[in-house]
Amino acid sequence: MNNCIFCKIIKKEVKSDLVYEDEEVIGFNDIYPKSPVHILVVPKKHIQSVNVLKDEDKELIGKMVLVARDLAKERNIFETGYRLTFNTGKDAGQTVDHIHLHLMGGKKLLFA
Ligand code: 5GP
Ligand code: ZN
């Protein structure tokens, strides 16, 4: 999508601190981390939010969860625990309209 910041990151038009990339998914550090580990796992396909997911996206979403789980292992928060979050819509605080999975951990997380 033309004006989407995450599409620009995916196309490397905007710089990011990449921690993972394959043909379908990227992972990069959140620019304003809310925990010691705060990675965004993002599909290369532009999907606005969970609200518009289709049956055909099932595998992609499953893959995002597994990528996040593997990154949790890599960052040594697999045992201590971590949170995976899809903020969806205004009340959840979704600010970027390109679906993304937050991987957060490295400290005791309180509910916001
Ligand atoms: P949301 O609030 O939509 O669930 O999460 C969007 C996240 O993207 C926020 O935590 C915000 O800090 C992060 N973010 C927004 N713009 C950029 C950017 O240009 N680069 C990176 N690395 N993170 C961003
Ligand atoms: Zn996008």
Side-chain angles (χ1 to χ4, degrees):
M1 291 288 141
N2 285 348
N3 226 14
C4 171
I5 184 70
F6 287 178
C7 282
K8 286 180 182 162
I9 286 174
I10 289 157
K11 286 187 269 177
K12 313 271 165 53
E13 291 168 9
V14 166
K15 259 187 77 177
S16 76
D17 194 4
L18 269 192
V19 296
Y20 179 84
E21 180 163 22
D22 66 26
E23 61 290 342
E24 293 175 310
V25 170
I26 63 167
F28 52 88
N29 286 319
D30 196 292
I31 201 166
Y32 300 121
K34 282 115 199 142
S35 49
V37 176
H38 189 171
I39 294 169
L40 301 172
V41 177
V42 181
K44 290 187 173 176
K45 177 181 177 186
H46 180 94
I47 301 169
Q48 193 184 331
S49 79
V50 168
N51 280 353
V52 297
L53 281 174
K54 300 193 171 113
D55 271 357
E56 70 200 36
D57 299 319
K58 274 185 199 165
E59 265 196 46
L60 180 60
I61 297 304
K63 180 176 185 171
M64 287 167 66
V65 172
L66 294 184
V67 165
R69 187 271 318 270
D70 290 348
L71 287 167
K73 217 173 240 177
E74 210 176 284
R75 292 305 176 92
N76 296 314
I77 56 170
F78 186 79
E79 302 292 346
T80 48
Y82 52 93
R83 182 175 294 159
L84 300 180
T85 308
F86 285 107
N87 288 327
T88 306
K90 193 161 50 74
D91 281 357
Q94 183 177 1
T95 56
V96 177
D97 287 337
H98 181 135
I99 196 169
H100 48 281
L101 182 59
H102 292 259
L103 164 62
M104 299 174 71
K107 70 169 188 185
K108 191 106 186 155
L109 298 168
L110 303 170
F111 274 97

